[in-house]
Every structure is written in structure tokens, then in C-alpha cells.
Amino acid sequence: MNISLLGIVGYLVGIAALVGLNAVILVWLERKVAGHMQFRLGPMEVGPHGILQTLADGIKLVSKQLVIPDEADKPLFLLAPIVSLVPIFAAMVPLPFSETVQAWELNIGLLLIIALGLLNTLGILLAGWGSNNKYALLGGARAVAQILAYKIPLLICVMTIIMMTGSFSLRDIAIAQKDTWNVLYQPILFIVYIITVTLETNRSPFDFSEAESELVAGFHTEYSGMGFSLFFLAEYSYMFIAAGLATVLFLGGWHGPWLPGVAWTLIKIYSIIFLMMWFRWTFPRVRIDQMLSFGWKILLPLSLINFIITAGVLAL
Amino acid sequence: MFDTVIHDVYYLSFAMILVLVLGGGIIAVTSKSLIYCFFGLVSSLLGVAGLYYNLGSPLVAVMQIMIYIGAVCVAIAFGISLTRKTEDEGVKPPDIKAAIPVVLVTAMLGSTLKGLEGRHIVASAHKADESLIGWMLLKEYLLPFEIISILLTVAVIGAVTIALINRRIG
Amino acid sequence: MEFLATLPNNLLLYVVVAHALFAIGLYGMLFRRNLIGFLISLELLLQGVGINIMAFGTYLVPDPIQARITTLFIIGIAAAEAAVFLGIAVAVFRNYQTIGVDELSKLKG
């Protein structure tokens, strides 16, 4: 075990910085993208083109009073944002940013990230059960129902890529795409993966658990200030991790012409996040039964047929 | 100096895993609200996954998280929300029947320790090559693998059939 | 202190933890009032079994692959059992409107 204490502390500080910086950039990006897609300008006041808007928002959120409702279950209520946020530190470990920049090379890195992505939804369920609020309860239950729809197509998608590469380790998958990216071999799978990952991170058009027009504010109705910001940190960081997986699995990881590997990885990750934000302002929210039937009647047969065809082609 | 500190971090994390396992288990059986039981179970399962990792098998640890927390706990969460009735949650006060687990487990532990006397420990927890698991599942353990597939299919079909609501038309 | 430091490599620790989980699960099965509480305790019991098999397979057997495959099978069987149990629990709740183990006693006597 040749890790040093300096390595562990450096990793934790680096990931905390990355999570915070990512949230700052993404909040600004989301509001700008939302603004421009709706033919308006978005935040322009604070700083040039509103760059410092997130800082102002952050200061506001941190200085708000933490209101805990009287009848809410205090341990569950306070534990929920932490349960959502902590697995991010573990899920960022196997993610390769370039050939040499990776926290720790795990043999089963891919499965670990998928397994830990589930704990976000458990945090949402905890919040829903903990606040003594029927809107929060509905939001939490809906988030758990979403797991049913996306779990199997996601696993089959990932299994197809593993079959093509022959290894679970993210570094090997990225190295194997030196000549051609996997998206050229499997375009349909890429689309299925993006849809599944939108389902997993509770983004529009599948954001029932925080549906603003139906459920007041869903699972985070009773959270104010710091709790709310922790949930949003967690959501943006899971988007980052999911987009990171998409880059490594489909878009060739860090390979690219002139820029260093880390720059290419970040460019690809933020393009996929931009795509997910684009979805948010293009599609209306679907109903739960529509989502379930979409997941089971369209995504699952599509990914299964893809899997079988890939297995057939690889065997020949 | 950094070397001893890194070993202390390792032992500290192992102690935290043990606290997760046993603490989660105790919360899961002695709390009045079913939600606390559920989250005690989740933390216990996470701790057991950590113990599997310590026993040298990252694959079984990740499978534990994916199958137990990903599928079984989600199903239990659905079961809780569909059958919630706050009057009959809770735990009965312990009476004479509480001696049964204690006596039984002490007997089991005693006989296990007696059987372990004199056997020397062959290997310590090292990471074996886990790609062999896939090969063995298809070569030597093929029959149990196929039987488990049939078992899972039958169990799911059975559960759906039992819980099915028959909608009468007309 | 050195004894504590050798614990993560000690077979006895895993055996004791597995038996403790078994006892905790058994206690829960005897004393919880709710069928879902019963299921949660049952899952704890199966965890204890899994750790036991994994520990014995790692420390006393030259080839640890068998223990890992057996543990994976146990995880799969426990998942199937939980599914059937929850189907029965939902059906019972729909028919009797209660799920406490003391009220479900129509077959008694």
C-alpha cells in the first residue's frame, strides 16, 4: 500500500475544491444557458456577464438561517444532505482525467461509480422521509421509482462497453480508444446512455422528485440555506461524475490532438453537461408512467438488442 | 513518521467499518420507527461491503453494494411505503425468548472455535485474480449458476403473481 | 496495542462479527412487530452468514475463489427471497389491512 498521508489529504482537498469549483461554474452556466435558450440574457449584473453571480448566491445561502421544522425527524433531516454528498468523494477516485492524473487505479472502477451513484437517491429518500411534509414524501418516493426505470438499461449499456474492451478498469477503457472513439462503434448506445444518465441524476425531463410546478419543491421543500446548497452541490457533482463516465466510456477519455489530456477531458465533460442542460430547456417533464414505459419498452429492448448484436460481431 | 500515520488511518477506517456494521445492526433491530430500521440496514450493508473489501475481494464488495443496496433495499423501501401503518411498528419488549439467540449463538461460536483449534491459517487475505470467477461460473459452477437464474426468474414471477391486482373488465 | 493492530488480518474477528450479526438478526426476527421489520432482521442474518463463509474461505482454504462464488450465490438467493417476501407482505396488507405479526393469527387454534 504505497499511498502516503500527503496523498490522501491532497486528494480530499483537491476533490473538495473540484466539487466546489464545479458547482460554481455549473450554476452560472445553467442560468446563462437557460437565459439564452429562452431568448433572454440571464444574469448580467454581478461581474462581467454575471460571472460573480454564483458567489453572491453562495454568500446569500450560507448566511441564511437553518430552519428545522418542529415535527421533522431531526437525525434523518440533518443526515440527508450528508448522505447525498459523501459518496462523491469515493466515486471520484477511479475517474481518470488524463494518462497520469487519476486518484487510484481500481480494477473495478466502473462498477464502483455505478454502485455509488445509487446513494444519491437514498439521500433524497432520507430527506423525503425525514421532513414531515407530504410533498417531500412524494418527491422521495418518486425518486426511488425512477431507479426501477433506469437501472437495467444502464447496466446493459455499461456491460456492452466492458465486453468490447475486456476490462472494468476505466483507464484500460480509455486507453483502448486510442484510435477510434467508442461512440463511432456504438452511436445508439451513446444516446441510450445519455438518456439513462439524465434519469439517474434526476434532471429534466425526468426531475419528478423536485418538480417545481407540481410538488412545491419536492424533496428539498423544508431545507433552507446550507441544506439546500448541499443538495445542489451533490446534484451537480453527480452530473459531473456521470458526464465523466460518458467521456471515458464513449468519447475516448483524454485523447485529442494538441491540448494536454486534462484539458480535453474537461472540454468533453462540460460538453456533455451542456447537452444535459440543453435537454432541460427543450423537453417538458414527462409523467411517471410515461417514464416507466419508456424505460422498459424502449430503452431496455434497444440496449438488449445492441448487446446481442455486439456480442455476435465480437464473436466472429 | 508518515508510515505509522498511514497505518493508523487504515486501522481507524477499519474500526469505523466495524462500528457501521454492528451499530447499524443494533439500530435496525431495536428502533421504534421502521425508517430508522431501514437506514440501519443500509449502513450495515455498507459496512459489510467494506469488510468484504478487507477480505481481499473488491468484486464481491461492489456486488454487495449493487445488489443489496441497489435492489433489495429499494424493494424494501417500496414495501415500507406500500404497507405503512404506524400502530404496528416497533419492537416487543424483551422477555424470556431473548435467551434463544444468545444461547444458540454462543453454542455456535463455541463449537466453531473448538473446531478451529489446531488448524493453521493457510493464507491471509490477498487479492486473488478475480477474472477467474467468471471462468469458474461458466465451467465448474455452471449448474449452480443456471439454477440460480431459474430461481431468480421463478421468484420474481411468483412475487408479481402474488401481488398482482386483477382488474376485471366488464 | 499491537494486538489491535493485527485485528484486520485475524480470522477470529471476522468469525465473531459474523456470529454477532447472526445473533442480532435472530433477536430482531423474534421481537419485531412488523413483517417488514422481520425481513430487515432476516437480511442481517444472511449478512452474518456471508461474512462467515467469506472469512473461512479466505483464511483456511488455499484457493479463495470458491468462497467468493458461494458468497455471490448467497447474495443472489437473499435477493430472490426478499422479493418473494415483499410480494407476500403487499398481498397480505391488501387483504387484511394489517401487517403486524400478532394480528395475523387466523390459522391459530
Side-chain angles (χ1 to χ4, degrees):
Chain A
M1 195 174 332
N2 50 355
I3 37 174
S4 65
L5 183 65
L6 209 58
I8 292 184
V9 172
Y11 168 75
L12 286 176
V13 167
I15 291 297
L18 181 67
V19 161
L21 204 62
N22 181 48
V24 161
I25 295 179
L26 281 185
V27 166
W28 175 79
L29 189 66
E30 171 125 39
R31 293 171 77 160
K32 276 308 222 190
V33 163
H36 282 279
M37 295 225 168
Q38 294 171 357
F39 211 55
R40 56 182 172 93
L41 280 177
M44 296 283 281
E45 282 247 339
V46 192
H49 282 282
I51 288 186
L52 297 179
Q53 176 73 39
T54 318
L55 193 60
D57 276 342
I59 296 178
K60 174 199 78 161
L61 280 175
V62 166
S63 58
K64 268 195 183 177
Q65 183 194 10
L66 258 183
V67 176
I68 304 182
D70 230 354
E71 302 223 343
D73 221 337
K74 251 182 116 168
L76 291 182
F77 190 82
L78 292 175
L79 208 54
I82 304 179
V83 165
S84 255
L85 195 59
V86 166
I88 295 173
F89 286 88
M92 290 267 204
V93 168
L95 205 57
F97 284 100
S98 94
E99 191 128 9
T100 47
V101 178
Q102 186 183 10
W104 186 254
E105 173 59 27
L106 280 176
N107 259 346
I108 41 160
L110 187 53
L111 275 186
L112 186 70
I113 296 185
I114 292 178
L116 287 175
L118 201 75
L119 290 174
N120 180 28
T121 318
L122 272 185
I124 294 179
L125 184 67
L126 195 49
W129 269 340
S131 358
N132 193 17
N133 188 347
K134 50 177 160 317
Y135 298 118
L137 195 62
L138 275 179
R142 281 182 177 186
V144 174
Q146 250 176 305
I147 299 183
L148 287 180
Y150 77 79
K151 205 70 201 302
I152 302 185
L154 176 67
L155 285 174
I156 296 181
C157 227
V158 159
M159 267 202 306
T160 315
I161 300 287
I162 292 173
M163 220 172 42
M164 277 174 51
T165 319
S167 157
F168 278 112
S169 142
L170 283 174
R171 193 156 181 270
D172 292 344
I173 296 179
I175 289 182
Q177 295 180 55
K178 226 174 7 188
D179 308 317
T180 38
W181 293 356
N182 272 342
V183 69
L184 297 173
Y185 287 133
Q186 308 265 12
I188 303 180
L189 213 61
F190 181 59
I191 298 176
V192 168
Y193 180 80
I194 294 288
I195 298 177
T196 325
V197 130
T198 317
L199 269 166
E200 174 182 3
T201 50
N202 294 328
R203 296 278 301 173
S204 259
F206 305 114
D207 60 344
F208 321 99
S209 48
E210 44 174 75
E212 281 109 6
S213 45
E214 301 177 322
L215 286 182
V216 183
F219 65 93
H220 53 79
T221 314
E222 298 284 352
Y223 285 89
S224 61
M226 206 56 206
F228 176 76
S229 55
L230 279 181
F231 269 121
F232 269 89
L233 261 182
E235 171 170 335
Y236 285 132
S237 308
Y238 278 110
M239 266 174 68
F240 185 83
I241 292 176
L245 258 192
T247 13
V248 170
L249 289 180
F250 290 99
L251 292 182
W254 60 79
H255 292 115
W258 313 289
L259 301 171
V262 184
W264 270 116
T265 313
L266 288 175
I267 290 177
K268 291 176 194 173
I269 290 181
Y270 280 105
S271 325
I272 295 190
I273 294 184
F274 174 71
L275 186 68
M276 285 166 71
M277 287 185 181
W278 197 351
F279 278 176
R280 180 173 184 178
W281 300 106
T282 315
F283 297 113
R285 188 178 301 128
V286 301
R287 291 198 320 255
I288 298 193
D289 54 324
Q290 285 175 339
M291 166 197 74
L292 280 172
S293 81
F294 178 66
W296 282 86
K297 290 186 198 163
I298 301 185
L299 283 183
L300 179 64
L302 204 57
S303 49
L304 261 182
I305 294 176
N306 208 334
F307 181 66
I308 295 176
I309 294 180
T310 311
V313 165
L314 277 179
L316 287 176
Chain B
M1 188 257 290
F2 276 158
D3 207 27
T4 50
V5 179
I6 193 64
H7 277 128
D8 286 343
V9 168
Y10 171 59
Y11 295 131
L12 188 65
S13 67
F14 189 75
M16 286 198 297
I17 290 178
L18 282 183
V19 165
L20 261 185
V21 171
L22 294 173
I26 293 184
I27 292 179
V29 299
T30 59
S31 69
K32 291 204 179 52
S33 154
L34 208 54
I35 315 285
Y36 279 58
C37 289
F38 176 72
F39 284 105
L41 179 71
V42 169
S43 77
S44 188
L45 262 44
L46 275 177
V48 168
L51 281 182
Y52 284 150
Y53 189 86
N54 255 313
L55 282 169
S57 168
L59 180 72
V60 176
V62 169
M63 283 296 158
Q64 159 100 358
I65 297 184
M66 261 175 46
I67 298 179
Y68 262 121
I69 302 186
V72 172
C73 282
V74 167
I76 294 181
F78 267 110
I80 291 182
S81 46
L82 283 174
T83 62
R84 192 104 193 263
K85 215 178 166 211
T86 29
E87 293 92 54
D88 31 66
E89 294 181 12
V91 58
K92 300 185 225 176
D95 54 351
I96 191 60
K97 280 194 302 191
I100 298 181
V102 175
V103 166
L104 192 62
V105 169
T106 320
M108 278 165 55
L109 197 57
S111 65
T112 308
L113 292 177
K114 188 112 200 305
L116 275 182
E117 268 173 25
R119 292 193 72 149
H120 68 106
I121 298 193
V122 170
S124 65
H126 58 280
K127 288 193 176 59
D129 185 16
E130 284 180 324
S131 61
L132 280 180
I133 291 186
W135 278 114
M136 302 264 279
L137 274 178
L138 289 175
K139 282 201 282 196
E140 290 178 20
Y141 288 87
L142 182 61
L143 184 62
F145 185 56
E146 296 295 331
I147 291 182
I148 257 206
S149 326
I150 297 180
L151 174 79
L152 282 167
T153 312
V154 165
V156 167
I157 294 179
V160 167
T161 312
I162 291 179
L164 198 59
I165 307 179
N166 281 318
R167 300 183 199 277
R168 290 176 184 272
I169 304 179
Chain C
M1 247 323 142
E2 292 85 32
F3 171 68
L4 280 182
T6 63
L7 269 184
N9 253 339
N10 198 353
L11 171 63
L12 282 185
L13 175 80
Y14 294 105
V15 167
V16 167
V17 165
H19 282 84
L21 268 181
F22 192 93
I24 291 175
L26 199 54
Y27 177 84
M29 279 167 78
L30 288 175
F31 284 99
R32 290 229 58 117
R33 275 206 187 114
N34 202 349
L35 272 184
I36 308 277
F38 186 89
L39 175 65
I40 290 178
S41 317
L42 183 63
E43 294 298 329
L44 280 177
L45 204 126
L46 287 168
Q47 295 303 302
V49 170
I51 295 187
N52 214 3
I53 290 187
M54 189 81 169
F56 278 130
T58 312
Y59 283 104
L60 293 177
V61 173
D63 184 20
I65 295 284
Q66 299 169 330
R68 293 174 190 175
I69 294 184
T70 311
T71 312
L72 284 177
F73 283 151
I74 290 182
I75 293 179
I77 293 178
E81 170 187 0
V84 173
F85 199 106
L86 282 167
I88 295 179
V90 165
V92 161
F93 185 77
R94 202 182 300 137
N95 281 327
Y96 295 106
Q97 274 79 40
T98 179
I99 208 175
V101 297
D102 287 328
E103 284 95 5
L104 296 171
S105 55
K106 269 198 172 168
L107 283 178
K108 198 194 265 191

